[in-house]
Each structure stands twice: as structure tokens, then as C-alpha cells.
């Protein structure tokens, strides 16, 4: 880990830079995969399962029996936990439903917006080291709430050709029954192009490795939208002297265990907290099963001792963290100073993992400084807002002259005529 | 124009396809322009002005005198019109401000969202055949309302090195005083990378030709966001027997005059309206100054006679038009059937040009079937929504077990520890 004591502001732009990881040149491979899926559809997916996931999957679609059986394969405790998390996520996302408000911008000129669900959405859930059923909740709950007519889910099979039962259980709980055994770039290609089994969708959500990320980028050429650009996960913790080093260390480590490229930043105004948090990180690290990954992430983490909380927030806004924890006594007064962050956790008991799983907020958030220009996933991510307007003849009379003058000044005479012909 | 009488549904997917225009291979040129701007900054822009716009511009920044003088160079009528349009646009976009609502998802687990303006935004306004000061209103009004701290505007100079005074006047009226004489891909590069004169921004808005579109796409590699993917403008009009052919024709032509690649679709259930609208288009076309462009657009326009309004809407949803006009008697009853559209105009007096200029709705809308998965520009386009959460110790106790169980099931033990360490 790297420590900085009172770094000069002119060094900050260097400090907030994310390490650039070498990105393998994989665009050729992505193109090949898309071409194979376009040409051979389901058969291509079956072959890729064999090749990349070492799995024999005669059928790409998960059967009803497999889905129903998942309930028997996970503990009651886990089912209860998933249900409670779902309830909280539903409650928070339901609060994001907006009411249509009609505005009379000029007399008898009525304008408003209405939400319409994106009809077809695809959710990608990675396989690999952790079965991310929590991400199923984070994407399927708002998709369902928004009213998306077709919600499909793709996830790679294990070596026995099966899907993790917690993923199947969670999907079913959220009303998703179109689940497909396919992962990586080929899953993204299938949702983009469609196959016999897999319907093509209008928007693709979900995390993934570099192949998935590259495939989502590539998919946009076909008119598909994606949730947001991707990058490694990150947390920035700001602590004052009332913070509890053991808590701060636990939060930093919960970020570090995500992967060796995870970003971890700790800023405090208090020397004692600074020293003790570093010690606590070292101490807690030893007991983690994923400690090798966390150790690598910590190698490029930064710990900063700074003069004031105001300065810490200035640094944080420049960094634009995905997760921001304010382990501060009077956190409320600092909220208005936050400009750039994905999700903010306030006080000593709001740990990041609360938001990762069960408090109700979404955990699909902007990384890699995208918190400057992107929001996290919310109900809005699954709808379009369509504007409507109604002008009576009188309404058009009220703004007609304005339209005619402006259209003429822009040299668009047919635009002017559309008014003139109605008012003459 | 192409006419279809009662086309079979199986032919619709072919009919809704946008014509594919040959896209010149310009990525090499875009890379070169970005490299030149990165290396030579303002000087590169000055050189490009000379090369592409035949303009001598010793200074890239528009001077205060130039901005102030614009007021004297346009008519009082135009000033009055721009002011009225601005007022309506402001009124409608102000209605999009959402209030923060705190939700207690579980006891003492409080979650909410707050809006924060994207700090730095760039607006691109094309030069060329029409000075699009209306687009200045559509982008600057919500940017200002959102509270963006830095709003800059780039637009190419004319051959005398000047900017159209209506653009300058409108920009100033909206509080924008950082205006720069640069156009095309180089303007996008400058806003992405920054130069001595031009600050770099986090999000770029605005229309443009194929070079601008390609540059906006390229800019995203640098972490910049853009308003939306681009395509030619389009209108789809659905008319019943009470529609007025002259009005419908005027609306179709106001779309067609945008450019030879504009998309125009007309659907009616009434043979008389069908025939008379086609005649009216031909008649009105002759009088248009931009009739050659409109004629080319009409060549690939489609006119459809159909059985029912329900079917017309089904076709429209498949097409997903940027602008949808319902020239229908009982338009209200059809609103719920609209799934995919950018902006909808209701009844005989809601012409598209009302929304293009002055009713208050935004005219920056999704084209090329992107109305299936994107919204038009709104206040939301200029803000991020940050989630906040506060859990008291009791709050964490209420959901702690759930977090621990889920984290463990995902194999993320440090996530679990962040809870356990707080609750033990």
C-alpha cells in the first residue's frame, strides 16, 4: 500500500488516476464470436460452452425442472436472506416511480412525460469464483418493476452443465424464467443478435470479465444499449477521529477482495486513525480466504493523511469513487459537498456490504471515475421517458408566431409552413 | 415515395428498417484529428479552421464584444421569439426536478437519491446550412437549470471567422459565455482533451455531421459521456379520416427538409386521406426553398394504408419513431398503446415544429429506432443521481444477518466480516 501525508494539491491529479491495466487485444476474437453466433446460433453457444466452460449442454435453455429444483438445493437461511434483500430492493426502487405531471407551458400548450418500459432486456450474470445471485436481484427487481415485457438471463454453466441454484432460485423469485446456459462474449452476442432459443434484446445489463466488457461495447454497433461502461470496483473511505479503525479496515478489505484490480482509498484527518487502520488492514487480511487477491489490490491502494474533511471531499470529488464511505461524526453537514460518487454510506454502521446486498440501493454503480458523468442503475435504467404534447388551435396561435420566426431564421421554411398552414 | 396498401405483418420488419447509408471509413482521420489537438491544442484548431472552414481565426474564444454585439445584429422579433421559446423550455424542464424522498427500507435503514449536476458539459452546435440556435436553447436551458458549473459551446466559424449572431445571442441569454470557434471532429476532440482555451468536459451534447458523430463515438474512449447515439431525423404520422391532408403533408415535409437522409412515414386507415395527403405533399413541395433535399428524402419515404389505428400503432412501435404525430380524433385512448417513440404530438394542431422550437419539450431525441432503448434529452441528461444510505447500529442489526448469509454464499468473506466486526 502507498501512504501519503498531506500531499500537495498539485499531486492530486496523479493520485486519482486509476492504474491502467494492459488491455489485451481481443477485438478480433469478439468479432469472430459474434460471427459464429450469427451464423450457427444455439449450436455456436453449445460449442463455446464445450470450448470455454468445459461443459456439455445439449440444451441452452434451463429447463423448468432445473429452475424449480433450485429451491431444494439451497438452505432455508439463504432463501430467507434473499427474500428480505429482495423486499428492501423492491421498496427502494418502487420509490423511484415518478408521477406524470402535465405542464401548461403556454395557454393551451400542454406538455408531459410518460415512462415506458424498455420492452426486452437481457441480464448477464458471470460465473467464475463467486455466484453473483445478488446481482440478479439488483437487475431483475427494477426490470420487473419497470414492466419490461421480456427479461432474459444468461450465465455460464459449470463443468457439469449446471447453473448455480442460488442464481436460479433468485431469478425465479424475481419472475425470470427465461434463463440460458451461456457465458462470456458469446452470451452478449446471443442477446444482441438472437438465436432460436434466445430472444434478442434492446438493452444488456450486468458485469463480466474483459471479454464480456468488450462484447458489450461491440454490441452497441447493433443498436443495443448497455447499462454503463465498466471498470474495476472501488471504495474511498473518509474518516475522522471518531471512526473505528477495525470497521474502516473491514470496509477497505471487502473492496479489495473483489479482485486484484480493485481500487481502495483511505483518507483521514487523524494520525492515530491513519496508523491504526493500516495496522487493522494487515491484521484482518491474514484471515481472508481471498487474501492473495486482496493483497494484490492493496499493493496499489492509497492511504492519505490530510488537513481537513473539506479537503478530503475535494480529493474524493476529483477521484469520483464508485463507493464513498463517510465515517464521520457530522456526516450530514458534508453531504452537500459531495459532487461525484456512485453511492454514499454515512456513519460508522453503514458498511458498503449493506448496499451490496440488502439495504435496498442498487449495487450496479459507475466505476473508473464515471461517477462524474453516469448514475448507477435504477428504475430509470429500464424505462424510456417519452414526451407528449397537445396544442389546441388556440394553443398553436399562442406560440405560432414564435415558431414561424425561429424556423425562418434557421432557414427551415417547411417547419414554418406547418404552423402557417394551420393558422391561416 | 413508396406506397403500401395493407401490407402483411410479415413484411413489416423489412418496412421498418432504416436505409443503410454508406458510412465512409473515417476512423483514421478522426484519430489524426484527436492527435493533432492533443499535441498542438489551440493552434491545431486554428489550422483546422483555415483548412476545413476557410476561416482565419487568430483567437479560438469568442470575445465578450462579439457576444455582446450579437444583440444588435438580430431583429427584435427574433429576440422576442427566442425569449418566449426559452421561457417555455425552462418551464417544462423545471417540472422535471425531482424531490429527494428518504425511504426507510427496513427499520433504521434509510436510503435516498440526490441529484448532482454533471460539473462540466460541452455543447456542440453545427454550422452549415442552418444556424441551429434552437438547439442552443434545448441544451443550454436544462444544463443551466441542472446547475452544471461549466457549460461551454463550440461551433464552427463562417468564412469571415464569425459566429452567427442568433447563436451568440441565444447562448448569452442562457448564461453561456465560454464560446469557441471550432467545428467538426476537432471541436469534439478539444472538449474531450482540453486545450489552453477550451476546458475539457465530462459530457458532450449536440448534433452534427458524420465527422462529429464519429468523433463523439471516439471521445468515449477517453471517459467522456455523450448525449445519445445519432441517426437521421424521422417522423411517423398516423391519421384517421378527420385528419387534414394539408396539415399532414406540411408535417411530413418539415421532416423531409432536414436532409436527404430524413425518414418520413405516413400511415392512415382512410383511403381519401391517403390519396389527398400524397397529393398535398407533391403540391407543397414545389414551394420549398430546400425542395431538392426534401425530394430526396421523400424518395425513400413510405405511405401506408392500413386496417386499423391499433395496427398503425403496432407498426409504429416496431418502427420506434423519433417523432410520432397522432392526427386522430380520439388520440387519448391510443396513448397507452405507445411503447416506443421519442416525442408524441397529439391532434391536428400539435405540429412537430411546435416541439422543435417553442412548446417547451426537448428536440434532442432518439432516432434510428433508438426510441426503443433511449430517452430524449431532459434535465436528467445533465445530472447524476447519487444514492445515499444511513444505517444506525440497530439498522445494521436488522439486516446484518441477511448480508452475512448472502456474502458467505457468494464466497465474499470480507464482505461478511464488515458486518460481523460491527455487530460483535
Amino acid at each position: 500500500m502507498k501512504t501519503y501525508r498531506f500531499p500537495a494539491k498539485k499531486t492530486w491529479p496523479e493520485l486519482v488516476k486509476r492504474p491502467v491495466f494492459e488491455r489485451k487485444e481481443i477485438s478480433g476474437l469478439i468479432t469472430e464470436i459474434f460471427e459464429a453466433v450469427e451464423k450457427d446460433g444455439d449450436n455456436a453457444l453449445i460449442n463455446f460452452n464445450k470450448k470455454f466452460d468445459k461443459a456439455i449442454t445439449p440444451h441452452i435453455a434451463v429447463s423448468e425442472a432445473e429452475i424449480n429444483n433450485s429451491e431444494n438445493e439451497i438452505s432455508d437461511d439463504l432463501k430467507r436472506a434473499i427474500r428480505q434483500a429482495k423486499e428492501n430492493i423492491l421498496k427502494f426502487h418502487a420509490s423511484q416511480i415518478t408521477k406524470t405531471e402535465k405542464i401548461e407551458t403556454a395557454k393551451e400548450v400542454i406538455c408531459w412525460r410518460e415512462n415506458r418500459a424498455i420492452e426486452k432486456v437481457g441480464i448477464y450474470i458471470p460465473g467464475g469464483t463467486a455466484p453473483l445471485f445478488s446481482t440478479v436481484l439488483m437487475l431483475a427487481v427494477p426490470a420487473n418493476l419497470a414492466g419490461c415485457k421480456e427479461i432474459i438471463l444468461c450465465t455460464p454453466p459449470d463443468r457439469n452443465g449446471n447453473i448455480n441454484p442460488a442464481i436460479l432460485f433468485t431469478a425465479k423469485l424475481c419472475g425470470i424464467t427465461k434463463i440460458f446456459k451461456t457465458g462470456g462474449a458469446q452470451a452478449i452476442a446471443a442477446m444482441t443478435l438472437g438465436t432460436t432459443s434466445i430472444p434478442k434484446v434492446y438493452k444488456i445489463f450486468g458485469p463480466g470479465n474483459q471479454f464480456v466488457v468488450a462484447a458489450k461495447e461491440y454490441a452497441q454497433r447493433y443498436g443495443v444499449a448497455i447499462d454503463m461502461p465498466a471498470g474495476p470496483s472501488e471504495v474511498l473511505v473518509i474518516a475522522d477521529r471518531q471512526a473505528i479503525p477495525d470497521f474502516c479496515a473491514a470496509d477497505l478489505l471487502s473492496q479489495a477482495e473483489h479482485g486484484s484490480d480493485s481500487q481502495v482509498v483511505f483518507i483521514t484527518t487523524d494520525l492515530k486513525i491513519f496508523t491504526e487502520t493500516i495496522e487493522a488492514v494487515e491484521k484482518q487480511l491474514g484471515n481472508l480466504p481471498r487474501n492473495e487477491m486482496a493483497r494484490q489490490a492493496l499493493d496499489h491502494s492509497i492511504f492519505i493523511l490530510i488537513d481537513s474533511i473539506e479537503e478530503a471531499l475535494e480529493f474524493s470529488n476529483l477521484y469520483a469513487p464508485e463507493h464513498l464511505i463517510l465515517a464521520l461524526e457530522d456526516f450530514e453537514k458534508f453531504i452537500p459537498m459531495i459532487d461525484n460518487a456512485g453511492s454514499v454510506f454515512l456513519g460508522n454502521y453503514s458498511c458498503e456490504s449493506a448496499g451490496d446486498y440488502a439495504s435496498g440501493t442498487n449495487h450496479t454503480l459507475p466505476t473508473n471515475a464515471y461517477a462524474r458523468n453516469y448514475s448507477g442503475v435504477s428504475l430509470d435504467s429500464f424505462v424510456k421517458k417519452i414526451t407528449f404534447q397537445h396544442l389546441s388551435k388556440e394553443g398553436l396561435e399562442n406560440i405560432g408566431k414564435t415558431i414561424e420566426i425561429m424556423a425562418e431564421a434557421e432557414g427551415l421554411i417547411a417547419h414554418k409552413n406547418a404552423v402557417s398552414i394551420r393558422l391561416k
Side-chain angles (χ1 to χ4, degrees), chain A:
Chain A
M1 65 187 70
K2 294 165 189 154
T3 58
Y4 301 90
R5 289 170 186 233
F6 312 107
K9 274 195 193 168
K10 68 174 197 296
T11 66
W12 290 10
E14 201 50 45
L15 291 182
V16 302
K17 269 193 193 155
R18 279 29 171 210
V20 178
F21 293 92
E22 208 187 325
R23 194 164 149 181
K24 279 187 215 140
E25 198 32 81
I26 54 173
S27 66
L29 183 61
I30 301 296
T31 311
E32 274 172 38
I33 289 174
F34 270 71
E35 281 169 3
V37 172
E38 187 156 33
K39 187 165 158 280
D40 296 326
D42 286 344
N43 277 335
L45 302 179
I46 289 167
N47 290 336
F48 284 128
N49 279 349
K50 208 165 147 189
K51 185 173 169 191
F52 294 134
D53 299 295
K54 317 285 175 233
I56 305 298
T57 48
H59 301 288
I60 286 297
V62 176
S63 71
E64 214 183 314
E66 285 175 281
I67 295 173
N68 290 336
N69 196 40
S70 64
E71 202 168 337
N72 309 320
E73 291 180 52
I74 62 175
S75 72
D76 285 344
D77 273 354
L78 183 54
K79 279 185 265 190
R80 217 172 359 247
I82 292 172
R83 285 201 182 95
Q84 191 195 12
K86 186 197 168 209
E87 202 175 300
N88 294 346
I89 294 164
L90 184 62
K91 227 181 270 177
F92 185 59
H93 288 76
S95 78
Q96 297 163 10
I97 297 171
T98 48
K99 270 179 74 177
T100 297
E101 196 196 354
K102 294 191 179 181
I103 301 294
E104 191 164 24
T105 54
K107 196 154 187 311
E108 301 220 7
V109 177
I110 316 284
C111 304
W112 71 97
R113 295 196 295 173
E114 292 188 21
N115 289 351
R116 292 293 187 276
I118 298 174
E119 285 177 85
K120 301 169 188 202
V121 299
I123 296 174
Y124 181 74
I125 301 294
T129 50
L132 297 181
F133 56 86
S134 62
T135 304
V136 179
L137 288 176
M138 295 295 173
L139 299 174
V141 168
N144 219 321
L145 189 65
C148 300
K149 284 181 198 157
E150 185 145 70
I151 309 170
I152 66 168
L153 190 152
C154 291
T155 189
D158 65 18
R159 293 195 168 209
N160 301 316
N162 297 323
I163 305 296
N164 184 290
I167 290 177
L168 294 181
F169 172 81
T170 309
K172 191 190 170 196
L173 186 69
C174 298
I176 302 181
T177 52
K178 291 184 176 172
I179 308 172
F180 303 98
K181 298 175 183 177
T182 173
Q186 57 274 22
I188 307 302
M191 292 193 275
T192 303
L193 304 163
T195 70
T196 310
S197 301
I198 304 182
K200 63 191 276 190
V201 301
Y202 298 154
K203 191 166 182 177
I204 297 173
F205 295 79
N209 63 18
Q210 58 171 331
F211 296 99
V212 171
V213 167
K216 281 171 71 182
E217 212 169 274
Y218 190 85
Q220 294 180 81
R221 299 185 191 183
Y222 294 85
V224 169
I226 63 168
D227 45 3
M228 69 184 80
S233 194
E234 7 174 273
V235 71
L236 188 150
V237 178
I238 301 178
D240 61 12
R241 62 179 181 165
Q242 64 75 57
I244 296 156
D246 263 345
F247 295 6
C248 295
D251 291 334
L252 296 169
L253 285 168
S254 75
Q255 194 54 54
E257 79 170 340
H258 269 300
S260 54
D261 55 0
S262 280
Q263 305 295 307
V264 170
V265 182
F266 181 72
I267 311 180
T268 183
T269 47
D270 190 281
L271 179 59
K272 189 158 171 276
I273 298 288
F274 185 72
T275 318
E276 289 180 4
T277 302
I278 292 172
E279 285 165 13
V281 166
E282 286 296 340
K283 206 183 78 195
Q284 289 179 29
L285 180 63
N287 303 322
L288 291 180
R290 294 164 73 103
N291 70 49
E292 200 161 327
M293 232 186 266
R295 163 77 62 198
Q296 284 171 33
L298 286 171
D299 280 349
H300 52 83
S301 67
I302 58 181
F303 286 70
I304 299 175
L305 190 62
I306 210 162
D307 271 325
S308 67
I309 301 300
E310 286 78 2
E311 272 199 304
L313 280 162
E314 206 183 314
F315 184 93
S316 173
N317 283 331
L318 200 64
Y319 184 87
E322 180 191 13
H323 304 97
L324 171 61
I325 299 179
L326 298 190
L328 302 175
E329 181 150 26
D330 42 0
F331 54 78
E332 284 208 14
K333 97 174 204 214
F334 295 106
I335 291 175
M337 292 180 211
I338 299 168
D339 289 326
N340 301 319
S343 195
V344 184
F345 301 77
L346 302 165
N348 285 334
Y349 287 89
S350 305
C351 49
E352 191 206 302
S353 49
D356 286 341
Y357 289 108
S359 63
T361 59
N362 209 292
H363 78 198
T364 309
L365 295 165
T367 54
N368 209 12
Y370 281 113
R372 295 186 306 205
N373 42 16
Y374 285 85
S375 308
V377 162
S378 70
L379 191 66
D380 306 335
S381 312
F382 296 89
V383 301
K384 304 101 51 181
K385 287 173 196 280
I386 303 179
T387 48
F388 288 82
Q389 61 201 284
H390 177 255
L391 290 79
S392 67
K393 185 156 190 279
E394 195 194 329
L396 187 60
E397 276 161 3
N398 286 330
I399 63 168
K401 195 82 205 152
T402 288
I403 301 167
E404 289 178 321
I405 291 169
M406 290 176 75
E408 183 157 6
E410 288 193 351
L412 296 173
I413 301 306
H415 282 66
K416 182 187 176 189
N417 283 354
V419 175
S420 315
I421 207 165
R422 283 170 163 93
L423 295 185
K424 85 180 165 201

